[in-house]
Amino acid sequence: MRPSPSVDPGFDVVVLGAGLNSLNLTIAFHQQYGMRCTTVVRIPVAMNEHTVTSDLLVLGADASDEDMRDALIDLASQRPAGRPALLLTNADSLIDFIDRFRTDLEQHYLLAQVDAPLLSRLADKAEFAEICEELGIGTVPTVIVDFSRTEEPDWNGGDELPWSYPVVGKAANTAEYHHVQFSGKKKVFFLESAAEQQDLVRRLRQSGFTGRFLFQELIEGDDTAQRSITAYRSSRGKVTLLCAAQVLLGEHTPEALGRPAAMVTGDFPTLTAAAERFLDAVGYVGFANFDVKVDPRTGRECFFEINPRIGRNNYYVTAAGESVARHVVEDRVHDRDLEQVVVTAPVLYTILPLRLVLSYVRDPALHERVRRVARTHLRNPFRYGPEGLWMRAYSVVSGLNFVRKYRAVYPRPTDTGF
């Protein structure tokens, strides 16, 4: 856990997990404090190996959670006595890991995430919807099927859904769903008929899945109807950061469906106000990311879920002028709150080629806005200024690979985004 040879901010940062999830975080700390974080992974990913923003500690594919805990404690023992260190992650499974070993880890690290009871409640999309309803925050009409009750006579798995098809299907809790395997498994299902819906129910039951599964009315609209909100609420109960963005294009491969790949930031006051209301109501601590969709028929804002982490594409906040790193450092390292920052500056965040993004934006006014913002405020994390030639070459190769993927799985935009 060593700081940059040139800059020592007086604290260290350890980030768990590989890929863009961690890279966007380490960029924020490098940009704000000139420091190198330490990224801890089981399996190395090239972008983390080549970035100037962090050092890499590889545990190996067979490392257990206990091995990871021990490695983190050993890493802490190398730090000078009294020197603070933040421990962060941006992956659901590693959020659970930190919570499970909280007693061991918080002796050595400053943590900024909710405790187990609230984490469990928020991780369940059904619970999230119930909280939103209590607060008057719009959500998507949903039917919940509980697969732990399949043997009970009133189990609703075979019931007809109350909407016309297509409908959307997804697990209430991604951590529970992660461990289940069956043919045709996806993160999100787009079901065209009652027969498809019942076939999915059958496969989930046969796989041994015992969690809750959601079937939701399809809110039409392509990817541009989606919104992303990033927030930070301090350990003293103040929301210090709010930033919202309109999704332009998301990933469309089965394993990554719904993951934003291009977004434009702006002023979304009703969204940021609702997010703040939600975080205050549940007593949240740390970074949060909300997924929202705006119904193009009515303009109604439907909150889908909260991710109890900052979100994979959080660089859109830092790129818009407000480093996400600043908020957790002031809160946990310096034990004080910043004045609230609501980010509204327009920035086009994308890990895709601009031409590809524009080809999927069908609304003429939005298309022109994106082109205008891109002229001066186009930001790609793989093109972060201090990075070397390898990362720039990676951005080109990655962009070309995305073009091939979209041609194969989502060759043109649709009215539903599927």
Side-chain angles (χ1 to χ4, degrees), residues 26-86:
T26 62
I27 288 174
F29 283 96
H30 189 270
Q31 179 174 302
Q32 181 69 24
Y33 300 103
M35 67 184 295
R36 293 172 71 96
C37 301
T38 298
T39 301
V40 179
V41 302
R42 286 186 170 90
I43 303 172
V45 174
M47 69 176 72
N48 303 119
E49 292 178 307
H50 290 273
T51 181
V52 301
T53 66
S54 76
D55 302 310
L56 194 63
L57 175 61
V58 179
L59 304 180
D62 296 329
S64 66
D65 284 353
E66 288 73 19
D67 292 333
M68 181 177 286
R69 175 202 59 194
D70 294 344
L72 290 170
I73 293 172
D74 181 63
L75 199 58
S77 71
Q78 302 169 31
R79 196 171 68 239
R83 183 181 176 89
L86 286 164

Side-chain angles (χ1 to χ4, degrees), residues 187-252:
K187 180 181 177 183
V188 180
F189 291 87
F190 181 69
L191 304 165
E192 298 273 10
S193 66
E196 284 189 16
Q197 188 261 348
Q198 282 299 297
D199 179 61
L200 176 57
V201 169
R202 178 186 56 78
R203 283 182 287 151
L204 284 164
R205 189 174 184 178
Q206 290 178 348
S207 73
F209 179 64
T210 57
R212 296 198 289 178
F213 205 84
L214 310 184
F215 294 100
Q216 297 179 323
E217 182 182 13
L218 177 67
I219 304 299
E220 292 202 359
D222 62 17
D223 292 358
T224 63
Q226 298 172 27
R227 306 290 185 267
S228 175
I229 309 168
T230 296
Y232 186 84
R233 188 173 187 270
S234 77
S235 54
R236 282 163 301 285
K238 180 178 179 179
V239 176
T240 64
L241 174 66
L242 290 160
C243 181
Q246 180 173 7
V247 177
L248 301 173
L249 187 57
E251 296 189 42
H252 282 265

Side-chain angles (χ1 to χ4, degrees), residues 11 84 86 110-111 232 234-237 240 326-338:
F11 59 89
L86 286 164
L110 298 171
L111 308 181
Y232 186 84
S234 77
S235 54
R236 282 163 301 285
T240 64
R326 205 166 68 94
H327 293 263
V328 67
V329 168
E330 290 300 308
D331 175 27
R332 301 302 290 123
V333 176
H334 300 310
D335 197 28
R336 61 195 181 207
D337 288 340
L338 293 170

Side-chain angles (χ1 to χ4, degrees), residues 103-284:
T103 301
D104 297 325
L105 295 173
E106 64 186 359
Q107 298 178 48
H108 308 279
Y109 294 94
L110 298 171
L111 308 181
Q113 67 178 52
V114 298
D115 58 18
L118 184 55
L119 184 65
S120 176
R121 189 180 181 198
L122 297 180
D124 192 302
K125 296 179 181 65
E127 291 271 3
F128 172 78
E130 291 167 3
I131 297 169
C132 285
E133 186 174 352
E134 293 170 4
L135 297 173
I137 297 172
T139 56
V140 186
T142 301
V143 168
I144 303 168
V145 177
D146 187 345
F147 281 81
S148 69
R149 301 181 60 237
T150 56
E151 302 305 319
E152 298 180 18
D154 61 343
W155 184 60
N156 66 340
D159 293 355
E160 184 178 344
L161 297 178
W163 322 291
S164 59
Y165 285 84
V167 300
V168 175
K170 64 180 74 169
N173 188 308
T174 55
E176 291 177 342
Y177 186 62
H178 174 75
H179 300 290
V180 175
Q181 298 300 325
F182 60 89
S183 174
K185 179 182 177 181
K186 298 179 182 179
K187 180 181 177 183
V188 180
F189 291 87
F190 181 69
L191 304 165
E192 298 273 10
S193 66
E196 284 189 16
Q197 188 261 348
Q198 282 299 297
D199 179 61
L200 176 57
V201 169
R202 178 186 56 78
R203 283 182 287 151
L204 284 164
R205 189 174 184 178
Q206 290 178 348
S207 73
F209 179 64
T210 57
R212 296 198 289 178
F213 205 84
L214 310 184
F215 294 100
Q216 297 179 323
E217 182 182 13
L218 177 67
I219 304 299
E220 292 202 359
D222 62 17
D223 292 358
T224 63
Q226 298 172 27
R227 306 290 185 267
S228 175
I229 309 168
T230 296
Y232 186 84
R233 188 173 187 270
S234 77
S235 54
R236 282 163 301 285
K238 180 178 179 179
V239 176
T240 64
L241 174 66
L242 290 160
C243 181
Q246 180 173 7
V247 177
L248 301 173
L249 187 57
E251 296 189 42
H252 282 265
T253 54
E255 69 278 4
L257 186 63
R259 182 186 291 169
M263 293 181 279
V264 61
T265 57
D267 190 10
F268 302 92
T270 56
L271 293 180
T272 52
E276 182 174 13
R277 192 159 74 250
F278 184 98
L279 297 174
D280 285 340
V282 300
Y284 195 88

